Amino acid sequence: MDDCIFCKIIAGQIPAEKIYEDDKVLAFIDKNPKVPGHTLLIPKEHSTWFEEMSDEVSDHVFRIAKKLAREMKKRPNIGYVQVGIVGKDVPHTHLHLLPQIGREKASAL
């Protein structure tokens, strides 16, 4: 999409602090991080919503998200990585990976 900021980042028209890239995805540090290490993972194939991604791309996106989360957890004090799928604020599917300090206990349902 011509007016999509993430498509422009993928095309190299807008700079980004890239931390991972391959033929299907790009990961970079969020310009306005909520926590240190806040990373955005985007598919290079444009889609507004995650369910619009091809199965091949969505499978790859989630495999890379797991890989990045494992790397983030190697940092001191990082207990887990919160992941959110978004597409509303920027109309291009993207995952937020937010490293969190400590270990959150899951509450019983």
Side-chain angles (χ1 to χ4, degrees), residues 68-70 72-73 78-83 96-100:
L68 294 174
R70 287 182 187 124
M72 289 175 175
K73 285 182 70 175
I78 301 302
Y80 67 101
V81 178
Q82 180 181 343
V83 178
H96 289 262
L97 286 87
L98 300 134
Q100 302 292 315

Side-chain angles (χ1 to χ4, degrees), residues 6 17 19 28-40 72 75 82 89 94-100:
F6 287 168
E17 187 180 342
I19 61 165
F28 55 95
I29 299 298
D30 192 298
K31 190 174 179 178
N32 298 302
K34 296 189 184 311
V35 297
H38 181 175
T39 300
L40 298 176
M72 289 175 175
R75 297 180 196 156
Q82 180 181 343
D89 52 338
H94 53 289
L95 276 68
H96 289 262
L97 286 87
L98 300 134
Q100 302 292 315

Side-chain angles (χ1 to χ4, degrees), residues 21-61:
E21 183 173 16
D22 63 28
D23 62 325
K24 291 182 179 68
V25 299
L26 173 63
F28 55 95
I29 299 298
D30 192 298
K31 190 174 179 178
N32 298 302
K34 296 189 184 311
V35 297
H38 181 175
T39 300
L40 298 176
L41 175 61
I42 61 174
K44 289 184 174 179
E45 173 185 285
H46 182 88
S47 62
T48 301
W49 305 107
F50 84 97
E51 72 272 10
E52 296 171 351
M53 286 188 288
S54 69
D55 289 343
E56 177 186 356
V57 171
S58 67
D59 291 349
H60 187 72
V61 166

